[in-house]
Amino acid sequence: MWVLLYRDGSTRKYATLGVYSKMSKAQAEERRDALVAEANARNANTPDANITFGEFLEGVALPFLRSKWKRSTAATTENRIQHHLKSEFGERRLTDLGLKELQSFLSAKAEKLSRSVVAHLRWDLRSLFRLALAEGYTDRDPTAALFTPKEAAPSPSLTLTKEEAETYINQLEPRERVIALLAIFAGMRPGEILALQRRHVSGDCRKARIEQRIYRGDIDTPKTTTSARTAAIPPKTAAALKEWMELVSESPEAWIFASENPSTPLWRDNVWRRHMEPKLKTIGLEWATFQVLRRTHASLGHDAGIDPKVAADQRGHGIGVAIDVYTKAALSRRAEAAEQLEKAVLTA
């Protein structure tokens, strides 16, 4: 028999090439060369088993993830990964990281950070190790069993009451008042509001097409597929918007909320820090950020008896997110519900 002993990576292997009487030496050598070439090609494409977490992050994971992230996602997620994960595990060999160590890391973070941030770090680790497993940098995924520690404190979900919402709106100057009205009553994200051009708004200002959004000066597509929609604008908000649009150029491409340079739209951070927050600080409502306004739209709508599906479509996200994340029922509504249940059960 023609027999070949060779190494495939770090493994010593044995192969029978053929029967001596039926295979010439030249044929055996040809078969040998094919097997060795196949092993060499396979090992040339095998990822480095000694790669560190930081090397994998910079050389493989982040370049791949950036290709699918929107800029707004990249800005927050990449910063979180670099600050918390790379600083902790950057010099460690990727394959040395196990479940116990990663869970201890999350537990330590839970003592200092909000539940939301810890949950995001867990999700980041899951994404990175799934990618490492798919690319062959590790043969196991220790993150599948990770959980968010119960010690992680949830961030308070603040919303404006009806009375606070009215006070909030009246405190602002006309331009910022219209922005707040669109956020609270039309359920629009700040990036969607500031990306509006005249062509997106109907003549009576009762409808706005959400076809784009702005993030730090960049015009991008809507956040998700459900975010691309036509938002209904209620009468009083439409009237305020129509009055404001009398100051806007008649060009279809004109920005509804332009910056000092009419050819560019406002930035969210600028309009908040320079124009909204200082005004609201005088009445103690500076905590009501754009995120709070979005949650307020969901919660006040829920208290008003608006169908959850309709409200979710108006805001441009799924009904599960609408109920679980944004909607906070007022205490008065919960008290009414508790009383209603009690009356239905207790007859005496």
Side-chain angles (χ1 to χ4, degrees), residues 194-206:
L194 300 178
L196 286 175
Q197 294 172 278
R198 182 174 279 275
R199 63 188 173 89
H200 297 131
V201 182
S202 62
D204 60 1
C205 294
R206 294 299 303 273

Side-chain angles (χ1 to χ4, degrees), residues 5 13 17 29 47 58 62-63 104 121 138 187 198 244 257 266 269-270 294 315 337 339 345:
L5 296 176
K13 289 191 173 182
L17 302 179
E29 288 175 338
E58 297 294 344
L62 288 179
S104 295
L121 288 173
T138 180
R198 182 174 279 275
W244 172 252
F257 303 103
L266 278 171
D269 292 348
N270 288 345
R294 188 159 175 77
R315 284 190 301 279
E339 185 177 348
V345 175

Side-chain angles (χ1 to χ4, degrees), residues 211-228:
E211 298 178 347
Q212 59 190 25
R213 64 171 181 153
I214 185 170
Y215 180 77
R216 295 187 177 178
D218 285 349
I219 299 298
D220 200 355
T221 55
K223 186 175 182 180
T224 63
T225 53
T226 54
S227 298

Side-chain angles (χ1 to χ4, degrees), residues 173-204:
E173 295 296 329
R175 181 183 66 182
E176 290 73 44
R177 187 180 304 141
V178 175
I179 292 172
L181 286 167
L182 289 170
I184 295 172
F185 298 115
M188 294 170 63
R189 299 176 176 91
E192 296 169 347
I193 296 170
L194 300 178
L196 286 175
Q197 294 172 278
R198 182 174 279 275
R199 63 188 173 89
H200 297 131
V201 182
S202 62
D204 60 1

